[in-house]
Amino acid sequence: MTAPVFVVEHIDAGSGGQYALEGPEGRHAVSVKRLRPGEDIVLTDGAGHWAECVVLAAEGKDRLVVRLDTVSEEPEPTPRITVVQALPKGDRGEVAVETMTEVGVDAIVPWTASRCITQWKGERGLKALGKWRATAREAGKQSRRVRFPEVADAATSKQVAALLAKADFAAVLHESGTEPLATAELPADGEIVLVVGPEGGVSPEELALFAEAGARPYVLGPTVLRTSTAGTAAAALLLGRTGRWS
């Protein structure tokens, strides 16, 4: 099994190439993971910078002293994959974010589609967005990523259309599509943007707006997936087809 990942703001070695992991991450390493001298860990800022480390000492309940052996930077993947995710009911949003992070999505845009039952407003919306971002962080750690997905502010349909217009490949998962996503011509680099609608579906007005922005409808397969799983399945397909899983 690969070494566990812990998140830090900056990867700066101190005297003798040592680093002290403290705070919540240090507490998790010492009191939960119970790491001991000689074990390997990875430190990352979640933005592509990471270090392979060896534990030197566990001090108290929340301080882990490690030696930084190598410091590296992971290049940004290409093509970049962004999923526009309509707001699902309940905790299905966190499920979607968690699994999309695990497969390797680069950015997630919460979308307040017209047929969404859930609406993010005021403090409730800020709290929900915070949960999505915390989920992406924890899923990034669990899946041993060193470049976590960006979770954007909630977007309106017009803002989604503007995002689609800039993409090198733009798609909407919808039953009106006549071409499977599995056979679509994909770019070798640049930006892929995929729209996943709500349980009630993408409205005709939204489909027309997205079509004007250059996004075509595609079908994923013979079955109908829930909004919380469709983005993950489609992203896995795209990651395999673009060679990012090779």
Side-chain angles (χ1 to χ4, degrees), residues 68-232:
L68 275 63
D69 283 350
T70 62
V71 179
S72 308
E73 181 177 2
E74 180 181 88
E76 290 197 27
T78 187
R80 177 180 166 89
I81 297 176
T82 295
V83 176
V84 176
Q85 174 66 59
L87 306 180
K89 296 180 293 184
D91 63 355
R92 290 187 178 276
E94 288 98 273
V95 172
V97 171
E98 180 179 54
T99 53
M100 285 192 288
T101 299
E102 290 173 356
V103 299
V105 165
D106 303 299
I108 300 167
V109 180
W111 171 35
T112 53
S114 62
R115 292 179 176 175
C116 283
I117 296 175
T118 298
Q119 296 292 325
W120 286 2
K121 295 180 180 179
E123 288 297 322
R124 180 183 178 184
L126 293 175
K127 183 177 179 180
L129 178 60
K131 285 184 177 180
W132 280 36
R133 287 173 172 164
T135 298
R137 173 189 167 104
E138 292 306 311
K141 290 168 56 179
Q142 186 277 329
S143 55
R144 309 301 197 259
R145 290 182 62 166
V146 296
R147 188 179 290 277
F148 300 164
E150 301 169 13
V151 179
D153 293 339
T156 64
S157 295
K158 287 185 178 180
Q159 289 171 325
V160 171
L163 184 65
L164 294 168
K166 297 177 183 178
D168 297 281
F169 176 82
V172 181
L173 294 182
H174 196 266
E175 62 269 17
S176 66
T178 57
E179 182 181 354
L181 188 63
T183 60
E185 185 175 350
L186 302 176
D189 50 26
E191 182 92 19
I192 293 175
V193 179
L194 177 72
V195 177
V196 179
E199 300 288 2
V202 183
S203 72
E205 294 78 14
E206 289 164 338
L207 278 176
L209 178 65
F210 296 161
E212 290 178 8
R216 294 177 55 189
Y218 291 86
V219 292
L220 187 55
T223 60
V224 177
L225 301 183
R226 300 201 69 156
T227 184
S228 55
T229 55
T232 301

